[in-house]
Amino acid sequence: MAITGQIALTVLMGLFLVGVAAWLARVENWRSYTPVGGGATGGETAYGSDEKPAGLIRWLTTVDHKDIGLLYGAFGITAFVVGGLMVMVMRLELFDPEMTLISNTYYNSLLTSHGITMLFLFGTPIIAAFANYFVPLLIGADDMAFPRINAIAFWLLPPGALLIWAGFLPIPGVIPAQTGWTMYTPLSAGVGSGNQANAGVDLMLLGLHLTGVSATMGAINFIATIFTERGENVSWANLDIFSWTILTQSGLILFAFPLLGSAIVMLLLDRNFGTAFFINGGSPILWQHLFWFFGHPEVYILVLPPMGLVSLILPRFSGRRLFGFKFVVYSTLAIGVLSFGVWAHHMFATGIDPRLRSSFMAVSLAIAIPSAVKTFNWITTMWNGRLRLTTPMLFCIGFVQNFIIGGVTGVFLASIPVDLVLHDTYYVVGHFHYIVMGAITFAGMAGLYYWFPVFAGRMYQRRLGKIHFWLWLVGSNITFLAMILLGYGGMPRRYATYLPQFATLHQVATLGALVMFVGGLVWVYNFVVSWLEGPRVEDADPWNLKQSGLRTNEWAWFERKRETALADGGDEEALADGGDPVDEE
Amino acid sequence: MAARTFDRETLLDLVVNAVPLFIMAFFVAAFVLFAPFGFDPLASLLQFGLIVAPFVALLVLTYFSARAITDAERGGPVFLPGQTTPTEARPVEHEAEAEEAGAAASSEPTESGDGDA
Ligand code: HEM
Ligand SMILES: [Cu+2]
């Protein structure tokens, strides 16, 4: 009952805040605010590229959405490499049941950092990279609504990353957090005989807070941009699907991340100033409620834009329009709303009131429908289409395959009796990796390959792209299927050692991870080499979209840009600046 | 929703969100009929509130987004999504024509344009 009482208080508090917001909206005339320092008044947002300084200064001072998109991309990919290397060490440790390569506590540190790095330093930023670069182009805006806020949002990330990784840096007395990415209290509150009262945990929490502020600023910017900066003829009736998903995602960020920030502050207060939110007589379960009220929307924050990428790219290589475009739009919005009503499906095993539990199950089953609808739309789009199995298309198809397995395993977890058996086993790890790696990262790769000609001005090596895809498809399915089987066998998650009976499946999982690692090397090599000396793009429509009537705004922009660059005689950014045309075949 | 507000086409599109609404309504009914854990003023209020709140929120958002999209369709030229600025882009007058455009697009040969052969 204590818990239901708390929930009731939370709901009351929520209603109160909504009331405050409504009241503020009435008394304040927001439109009368004039932005200080400019940048937000319509028409003046286009910071001309001719004003850009050269070299490093350009990147430190840029407010151009495309440059910021590239910065986000470079940051996200760096984090992806860091998080990937961390998990490789962990998988090697898991090759045999005993503690061999690293200590158990170091394993826990890597585990925590891997999760946080991938979700907050790779996932959210890589999506922001695509959104920054392409949403303004897709909706015909000059730039983001608030270019400087855009720059600030990005520049909060590197210090955030440093704080999150601080425990690994050689700072005396500071050790990495070992709380898991969910930071459950009381462990994360630093009580007990463990070492989690260490300042490393505080630094990580502060870093996380910074990335949350960054994401929130970005979200406000995207909402403002998509609502107010749309070009001529771009209406709600023909907004592209990627911008729809970014709009919905930004809405989710706006409601979810500030809550994470508040919870983090409460945890910091508990840790350092003796308050009693979660410990000292407070409720450790309260943390789980607050965390998952953020955490579940967060998983959709991560998956909606990749769904948008696939919905945008997959039809281009199927030779036809996206089947049921509006189904995809409405189901995106439905996911957005419902994702706030399912959080306690992560808490079925905590002993909360069974009546509440069943409600969370009901809404979790309901939210599976919009996801399934999209899957059918993608399949139907490809059905009888003229498929061109380019690298981006392969990654889109891989996305659909992995998303089906990830989604179906999720629906099973949403069922209380099944979850009580599988909770905290490798089954859960398999479920969400099918989605975060198999789907989200695959869609990110589809986007990176698809738009490589736009942002690099050159073409990647196609054969290497396909090798990358197949290594990842095979590797991810080996690893994550093995995890699901481990979970059925009862292997608990978050352990550095295990019983010998699990050895074979763990070795299979490590093998799959090594396959993915090789694929990752191929990808990095391909991108670096192609970026530096790949054949320059000779055609503003490298995917021949014009022919099938499927060319979207960003490619039209690309064509105009190339034409003006040529007319100008070219500048440092010109793509066809007289470089030798290289034959691509 | 009132049939006059949205035409048949739009209502058909909205079916996609009617399904989760139906599932939530189903569970509300089920929990009213079968209450294996009994009733308790606070817990039961929360139990139903937790389903009714997302239900209402989804209904409201679906209505307003459908409103915005329908008004935009009636109020100006409609292009294919994300395809307003290419030189070859033409507005689609209504769905029937859009369907044809889509069909035409998919029947055109594209093999020669395989950028990744
Ligand atoms: C088809 C809809 C989905 C359903 C019904 C679903 C259901 C669930 C459930 C019930 C759990 C808790 C399992 C447990 O801890 O016992 C879970 C865990 C998880 N899911 Fe899903 N899921 C779905 C889709 C997704 C998506 C789209 C993502 C990612 C973008 C995702 C990411 C996660 C993550 C990260 C966890 C583990 C959290 C943790 O404990 O560390 N899920 N899912
Ligand atoms: Cu969840």
Side-chain angles (χ1 to χ4, degrees):
Chain A
M1 250 329 84
I3 288 148
T4 35
Q6 276 170 11
I7 299 179
L9 272 180
T10 314
V11 171
L12 272 179
M13 190 66 196
L15 289 176
F16 171 71
L17 288 177
V18 170
V20 171
W23 180 75
L24 276 178
R26 277 177 63 95
V27 291
E28 295 277 351
N29 181 7
W30 295 104
R31 286 183 191 280
S32 69
Y33 278 72
T34 347
V36 188
T41 36
E44 287 176 32
T45 52
Y47 287 75
S49 50
D50 30 292
E51 290 164 22
K52 280 181 200 162
L56 191 61
I57 300 294
R58 162 183 169 193
W59 293 104
L60 293 176
T61 58
T62 182
V63 289
D64 177 338
H65 69 99
K66 297 186 293 299
D67 288 351
I68 294 177
L70 289 175
L71 288 171
Y72 268 112
F75 178 87
I77 286 172
T78 310
F80 184 64
V81 171
V82 173
L85 292 174
M86 285 175 171
V87 84
M88 286 317 296
V89 177
M90 289 157 59
R91 279 296 356 153
L92 289 177
E93 164 63 41
L94 290 172
F95 195 78
D96 78 327
E98 301 303 320
M99 182 175 107
T100 30
L101 187 64
I102 52 177
S103 71
N104 291 348
T105 48
Y106 197 67
Y107 178 92
N108 292 343
S109 308
L110 289 178
L111 173 84
T112 304
S113 207
H114 163 73
I116 291 185
T117 301
M118 288 306 199
L119 293 175
F120 297 93
L121 304 180
F122 162 64
T124 322
I126 197 77
I127 291 167
F130 289 119
N132 264 295
Y133 204 112
F134 291 106
V135 164
L137 301 182
L138 278 163
I139 66 171
D142 293 337
D143 202 313
M144 297 287 288
F146 311 112
R148 292 177 196 187
I149 291 188
N150 203 19
I152 297 171
F154 170 77
W155 286 107
L156 288 178
L157 282 179
L162 278 183
L163 287 169
I164 288 173
W165 294 331
F168 291 99
L169 306 178
I171 308 171
V174 176
I175 61 167
Q178 297 159 28
T179 56
W181 83 279
T182 50
M183 300 168 285
Y184 275 8
T185 49
L187 175 67
S188 63
V191 295
S193 55
N195 54 8
Q196 293 301 288
N198 189 276
V201 183
D202 295 298
L203 294 181
M204 181 198 74
L205 290 169
L206 289 169
L208 214 51
H209 199 58
L210 275 190
T211 64
V213 173
S214 153
T216 312
M217 291 169 94
I220 293 169
N221 213 342
F222 283 118
I223 294 173
T225 306
I226 295 174
F227 264 89
T228 64
E229 303 283 317
R230 293 194 309 268
E232 207 190 343
N233 289 334
V234 182
S235 68
W236 295 121
N238 52 32
L239 189 65
D240 66 281
I241 191 64
F242 182 60
S243 301
W244 269 114
T245 55
I246 288 294
L247 181 63
T248 314
Q249 182 226 26
S250 300
L252 293 181
I253 290 181
L254 199 58
F255 288 101
F257 267 94
L259 189 116
L260 174 72
S262 320
I264 287 178
V265 170
M266 289 158 77
L267 183 56
L268 283 167
L269 290 175
D270 267 10
R271 289 174 58 87
N272 298 297
F273 298 100
T275 53
F277 293 111
F278 311 116
I279 49 167
N280 306 327
S283 165
I285 294 290
L286 173 63
W287 169 264
Q288 295 196 21
H289 279 294
L290 293 179
F291 181 83
W292 286 116
F293 190 83
F294 149 79
H296 188 85
E298 162 71 0
V299 305
Y300 282 98
I301 286 167
L302 290 171
V303 86
L304 283 176
M307 285 171 160
L309 284 177
V310 169
S311 304
L312 183 76
I313 297 171
L314 183 139
R316 317 281 144 208
F317 298 107
S318 304
R320 54 194 346 196
R321 293 159 57 198
L322 179 65
F323 177 84
F325 181 87
K326 289 202 185 128
F327 277 13
V328 181
V329 171
Y330 289 122
S331 59
T332 299
L333 296 168
I335 290 179
V337 171
L338 296 182
S339 64
F340 284 100
V342 301
W343 76 89
H345 66 205
H346 297 273
M347 301 166 58
F348 284 158
T350 54
I352 55 174
D353 190 293
R355 284 164 289 218
L356 303 188
R357 221 161 52 177
S358 46
S359 293
F360 284 107
M361 176 174 87
V363 184
S364 300
L365 294 178
I367 204 175
I369 300 298
S371 308
V373 165
K374 288 167 190 265
T375 310
F376 284 117
N377 280 303
W378 296 318
I379 295 175
T380 320
T381 304
M382 288 190 287
W383 194 268
N384 278 339
R386 290 171 185 278
L387 301 194
R388 291 186 286 154
L389 296 180
T390 60
T391 308
M393 180 61 167
L394 288 173
F395 274 103
C396 286
I397 300 175
F399 169 99
V400 175
Q401 185 259 204
N402 288 328
F403 185 72
I404 290 174
I405 303 186
V408 170
T409 49
V411 177
F412 280 102
L413 288 174
S415 154
I416 298 166
V418 180
D419 184 70
L420 291 180
V421 176
L422 293 174
H423 176 65
D424 259 345
T425 69
Y426 259 71
Y427 184 91
V428 177
V429 183
H431 153 66
F432 69 76
H433 277 91
Y434 260 109
I435 293 181
V436 290
M437 176 70 190
I440 295 172
T441 311
F442 270 51
M445 290 299 153
L448 286 177
Y449 280 107
Y450 180 61
W451 284 315
F452 194 85
V454 174
F455 58 74
R458 298 172 184 264
M459 198 58 186
Y460 58 82
Q461 298 186 34
R462 285 134 201 232
R463 175 191 290 271
L464 291 182
K466 287 181 185 171
I467 293 175
H468 170 204
F469 167 74
W470 285 109
L471 287 173
W472 271 26
L473 187 78
V474 172
S476 60
N477 276 283
I478 291 178
T479 302
F480 305 137
L481 196 66
M483 288 183 175
I484 287 182
L485 297 178
L486 278 169
Y488 283 136
M491 168 76 206
R493 61 189 284 202
R494 296 180 167 163
Y495 278 89
T497 58
Y498 50 86
L499 298 176
Q501 76 220 46
F502 297 118
T504 314
L505 280 171
H506 266 302
Q507 282 157 4
V508 170
T510 299
L511 187 84
L514 286 169
V515 173
M516 279 187 271
F517 181 68
V518 175
L521 290 180
V522 173
W523 164 62
V524 171
Y525 171 83
N526 189 6
F527 265 44
V528 170
V529 169
S530 304
W531 190 295
L532 296 178
E533 47 198 41
R536 281 178 193 279
V537 175
E538 288 303 310
D539 181 359
D541 183 19
W543 302 117
N544 282 318
L545 301 175
K546 216 185 263 187
Q547 199 179 35
S548 44
L550 292 167
R551 196 159 68 117
T552 37
N553 295 343
E554 82 281 23
W555 294 106
W557 167 85
F558 186 50
E559 186 178 55
R560 288 195 303 276
K561 178 187 156 179
R562 288 171 53 88
E563 278 161 9
T564 30
L566 283 175
D568 284 356
D571 59 25
E572 60 144 333
E573 261 199 302
L575 297 161
D577 60 356
D580 289 330
V582 183
D583 195 70
E584 293 181 23
E585 295 316 313
Chain B
M1 240 14 62
R4 272 161 293 136
T5 336
F6 298 129
D7 53 22
R8 260 189 82 245
E9 211 61 59
T10 312
L11 285 176
L12 208 64
D13 291 333
L14 294 181
V15 168
V16 65
N17 282 8
V19 180
L21 287 172
F22 170 80
I23 293 181
M24 288 187 279
F26 168 85
F27 274 102
V28 170
F31 293 156
V32 169
L33 292 176
F34 308 98
F37 304 105
F39 280 93
D40 166 270
L42 180 61
S44 298
L45 180 79
L46 288 174
Q47 177 184 20
F48 289 105
L50 280 168
I51 307 184
V52 172
F55 183 95
V56 173
L58 179 55
L59 204 64
V60 170
L61 184 72
T62 306
Y63 174 78
F64 279 105
S65 51
R67 238 323 9 117
I69 293 175
T70 313
D71 288 351
E73 273 168 357
R74 290 178 187 160
V78 177
F79 291 78
L80 292 179
Q83 295 184 236
T84 46
T85 55
T87 39
E88 71 275 13
R90 299 280 170 274
V92 282
E93 283 313 327
H94 48 77
E95 265 309 299
E97 229 169 90
E99 228 63 314
E100 273 165 37
S106 61
S107 61
E108 256 170 51
T110 44
E111 266 96 320
S112 55
D114 191 339
D116 207 329

